[in-house]
Each structure stands twice: as structure tokens, then as C-alpha cells.
């Protein structure tokens, strides 16, 4: 957009901000409108596309301090705030335009206006084009009103033409997904709906409860032609009735009887892959004793865990008379054995 077009463009109105708005307010308003009118959000809508372009042009000017100053000056001219006359001495003459620039660094300090002659007037005074060229930083050919429709009326290329809005990646969309224990171990490709659209999510083998999976390009639309954001899926793993997970190890509770724990035994335990493993329960095993099956745990790209069978001695809810009789005999055989001595010693430490 050339600066000639600024006369008819109210960029503050386009962004919906006050003329005194600071950069933060301007950027906030721009981002909100850019998301609303982005072509990705309004596919095939030419009016939305034009609106999005208009918003970008407004932001490009108002976010640049130098462009904004020039724009405000141009708009002041367009709104009738400055009046021009070829004569001298009359109130409201051409010099009023530049009286506002008085003071330090301006064109007329101490409350006195500077008089200027229009181009071609006798006396060698500064021409109108020369004045605008000096005011707005034009170089070479001076200022232009009319003439080249693609040039800047104040000389040189405008910052609005040079600096396009910076592309920004779209925001992240977040979702949740609950999967089975077996899907977490083996991996899976599942489909979820986000905003009504089905999206395939690849679950890597060995994923843990609470971990997140990122699907690129399925987030919020980018800004100013930036890339689309990502979809972030938080995974919840449902518990399994037999197995639990500790790191890369799988753990199950292995029930044994009192006699099996005392005498020792050999039993089969289930594996997560549907097979079985034969393990030896050592004689004298207590509840909590662990029997390890190498390689029977979680398999990931980095490591493979083990299966841990954790012994739990089971006693019948309603022991028979014979079992009670045997228990009494076993108690006599235990003699003065105190299995809780270490418990009290640990308390005193």
C-alpha cells in the first residue's frame, strides 16, 4: 500500500483501537482479528480474505513508530486539520500546517510560524514539494502528490511497503485420550475427534500414563501465513486387573499357600503376551518376596523390562479343623521364633 492511500484509510478503526492505544493494545487487537479473519478459518470467503489483508496493512503501519507518525500526520491533513493558502498574512494560511511542528527541532519555535511560498513563486522561497520532502524524509526527487501512482507522496519507499507482518505459528490444541494397558505396551493407531474432525493419533509402544503425544499440523491456524500449530494429546492408561507397571517392569501378585511358602514349589505364571512362564518359589518364601522373569516386561526402543512375580501368602477365609490342628503343631515347632522383633528394633532407631 502506498502512502497516498493512507488519506482514506482509518487504520485505528480497522483494528478497533483508540488513537492513543499503545503497541501492546495494537498487537493484541491485531492478533485477535487475524485469528478471526484468517483464510484458513474462512475457506473460500473472499470478503474474509480482503478483511484479513486490511487488518495486516493496518498493523504493519501502526506497529512501526516511524510509519505511525507519518500516518497520523497524513490523516491530520485529510481530516481538514491543516489548511493551505497561497497568500500570506491571512489567518489559517499554509503556515498553520507547520505551526504545529514548532518548538525544539520543529519548523518554527517560540510561537512564530514560518512562512512558505508555493512552487514557482518569486523570491526563491522554499516550494511546497521541498517542504514536505524535508518534513517526511524524502530524498532525491522531493515530494510527490499525484504523478506516479505507485510511489510514496513523501519520497522514498514506505515502511509499510517494505515490512510485511511476521508469520507466526498457530497455537497448540490440547486433547485427552484413554487407552488400554495392552495398547500402551504394544502401541496403537487410534482416531479421535477434535472440533468435529477425525484425526489419527499414533501411540508409541511403551508409553506411560500421563505422557503426551504431539500430532503436527492439527492445531490452530497460523497467523500471517505462518504454519499451523500442533495437536497435543495427553494419554491416560487404564489399569489392568492382573499387571501393573513399575518403570519398564511388569508386576503381578503371585498367591501361594502356607505350605508352598514353607516347603517351596514350582508354579506357572501368566505373561502379558498370552504365554506362561514356569517359576520356582523358594522354600521359606515370605509375602513380598520377588521372583523375576527376565525379558517378560515392557519392550521399548531403548530397553526391555522384566516380569516380577511378587509372593503373597494366602490363608483360607474359613480354615478347616484339620488345618487348625496342623497350625497348632506348627506353632509348637516354631518354638520361640519372634518374627516381629526387627519391627520394634527399627522403631527405636
Amino acid at each position: 500500500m502506498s502512502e497516498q492511500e493512507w488519506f482514506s484509510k482509518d487504520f485505528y478503526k480497522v483494528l478497533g483501537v483508540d488513537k492513543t492505544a499503545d503497541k501492546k493494545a495494537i498487537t493484541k487487537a491485531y492478533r485477535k482479528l487475524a485469528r478471526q479473519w484468517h483464510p484458513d478459518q474462512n475457506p473460500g470467503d473472499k470478503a474474509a480474505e480482503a478483511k484479513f489483508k486490511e487488518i495486516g496493512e493496518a498493523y504493519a503501519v501502526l506497529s512501526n513508530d516511524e510509519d505511525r507518525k507519518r500516518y497520523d500526520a497524513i490523516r491530520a491533513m485529510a481530516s481538514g486539520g491543516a489548511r493551505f493558502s497561497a497568500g500570506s498574512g491571512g489567518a489559517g494560511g499554509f503556515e498553520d500546517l507547520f505551526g504545529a511542528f514548532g518548538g525544539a527541532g520543529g519548523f518554527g519555535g517560540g510561537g512564530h510560524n514560518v512562512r512558505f511560498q508555493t512552487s514557482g513563486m518569486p523570491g526563491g522561497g522554499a516550494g511546497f514539494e521541498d517542504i514536505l520532502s524535508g518534513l517526511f524524509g524524502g530524498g532525491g526527487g522531493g515530494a510527490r502528490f499525484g504523478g506516479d501512482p505507485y510511489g510514496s507522496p513523501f519520497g522514498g519507499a514506505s515502511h509499510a511497503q517494505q515490512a510485511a507482518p511476521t508469520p507466526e505459528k498457530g497455537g497448540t490444541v490440547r486433547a485427552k485420550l484413554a487407552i488400554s494397558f495392552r495398547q500402551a505396551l504394544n502401541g496403537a493407531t487410534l482416531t479421535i475427534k477434535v472440533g468435529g474432525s477425525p484425526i489419527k493419533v499414533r501411540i508409541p509402544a511403551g508409553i506411560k500414563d500421563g505422557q503426551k503425544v504431539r500430532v503436527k499440523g492439527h492445531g490452530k491456524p497460523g497467523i500471517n501465513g505462518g504454519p499451523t500449530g500442533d495437536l497435543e494429546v495427553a494419554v491416560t492408561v487404564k489399569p489392568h486387573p492382573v499387571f501393573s507397571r513399575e518403570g519398564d517392569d511388569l508386576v503381578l501378585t503371585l498367591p501361594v499357600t502356607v505350605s508352598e511358602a514353607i516347603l517351596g514349589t514350582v508354579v506357572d505364571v501368566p505373561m502379558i503376551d498370552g504365554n506362561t512362564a514356569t517359576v520356582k518359589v523358594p522354600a521359606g518364601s515370605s509375602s513380598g518376596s520377588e521372583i523375576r522373569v527376565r525379558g517378560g516386561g515392557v519392550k521399548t526402543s531403548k530397553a526391555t523390562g522384566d516380569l516380577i512375580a511378587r509372593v503373597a501368602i494366602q490363608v483360607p477365609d474359613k480354615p478347616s479343623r484339620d488345618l487348625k490342628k496342623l497350625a497348632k503343631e506348627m506353632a509348637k515347632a516354631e518354638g520361640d521364633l519372634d518374627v516381629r522383633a526387627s519391627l520394634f528394633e527399627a522403631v527405636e532407631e
Side-chain angles (χ1 to χ4, degrees):
M1 176 187 292
S2 69
E3 292 175 1
Q4 290 175 325
E5 298 178 71
W6 291 0
F7 280 94
S8 60
K9 296 282 187 178
D10 190 342
F11 292 147
Y12 294 102
K13 185 176 180 180
V14 170
L15 295 182
V17 298
D18 189 78
K19 291 182 180 180
T20 60
D22 59 15
K23 270 191 176 182
K24 184 176 181 181
I26 289 172
T27 301
K28 182 178 180 181
Y30 162 71
R31 288 180 175 173
K32 180 180 179 181
L33 291 172
R35 284 193 294 268
Q36 179 182 352
W37 295 101
H38 195 281
D40 289 349
Q41 295 283 71
N42 306 273
D45 190 337
K46 295 296 183 182
E49 185 176 344
K51 182 70 174 178
F52 180 75
K53 181 180 179 182
E54 184 181 33
I55 293 165
E57 291 171 343
Y59 177 70
V61 173
L62 298 185
S63 63
N64 184 289
D65 292 339
E66 187 176 344
D67 282 346
R68 186 175 179 180
K69 287 178 183 178
R70 291 209 306 274
Y71 171 74
D72 288 342
I74 292 172
R75 288 289 296 174
M77 294 180 194
S79 64
R83 298 180 299 280
F84 300 85
S85 64
S88 62
F94 172 56
E95 58 268 22
D96 291 344
L97 168 64
F98 300 95
F101 294 93
F107 291 90
H112 299 287
N113 292 330
V114 180
R115 294 181 179 273
F116 300 94
Q117 291 178 307
T118 59
S119 180
M121 290 185 65
F128 179 53
E129 294 179 354
D130 297 332
I131 295 165
L132 289 181
S133 176
L135 174 59
F136 294 104
R144 298 186 298 276
F145 279 87
D148 181 5
Y150 301 101
S152 166
F154 302 106
S158 72
H159 287 275
Q161 291 172 315
Q162 296 175 359
T166 303
E168 296 182 26
K169 184 176 181 178
T172 299
V173 172
R174 292 174 174 81
K176 296 181 180 180
L177 178 63
I179 64 175
S180 70
F181 192 86
R182 197 175 297 277
Q183 286 173 328
L185 297 184
N186 300 332
T189 299
L190 305 175
T191 301
I192 64 174
K193 282 192 174 183
V194 178
S197 301
I199 299 174
K200 288 186 176 182
V201 180
R202 190 182 70 82
I203 306 298
I207 193 170
K208 297 178 181 179
D209 182 68
Q211 285 188 316
K212 297 174 182 177
V213 176
R214 183 170 290 271
V215 184
K216 293 187 177 297
H218 287 279
K220 296 179 181 179
I223 299 174
N224 299 327
T228 303
D230 301 333
L231 169 65
E232 184 181 86
V233 182
V235 175
T236 299
V237 180
K238 299 176 183 177
H240 193 276
V242 173
F243 299 97
S244 61
R245 181 172 178 175
E246 295 180 2
D248 289 333
D249 293 332
L250 294 180
V251 179
L252 63 78
T253 299
L254 179 61
V256 297
T257 65
V258 175
S259 62
E260 287 174 333
I262 294 174
L263 301 175
T265 187
V266 175
V267 298
D268 290 335
V269 296
M271 305 281 285
I272 190 67
D273 60 6
N275 294 319
T276 60
T278 301
V279 299
K280 179 180 179 180
V281 179
S285 293
S286 299
S287 291
S289 299
E290 295 183 350
I291 303 166
R292 188 175 292 267
V293 179
R294 300 291 180 185
V298 182
K299 294 179 175 62
T300 68
S301 59
K302 296 181 179 180
T304 299
D306 299 332
L307 172 65
I308 298 174
R310 203 162 277 160
V311 172
I313 298 174
Q314 299 292 308
V315 177
D317 293 335
K318 295 181 180 180
S320 67
R321 182 176 299 176
D322 290 340
L323 281 177
K324 289 181 179 179
K325 183 179 179 180
L326 289 172
K328 290 179 180 178
E329 293 178 0
M330 186 171 65
K332 290 180 180 179
E334 289 172 348
D336 296 330
L337 177 63
D338 187 355
V339 295
R340 288 173 290 280
S342 60
L343 178 65
F344 287 91
E345 292 175 358
V347 170
E348 294 176 357
E349 291 182 358

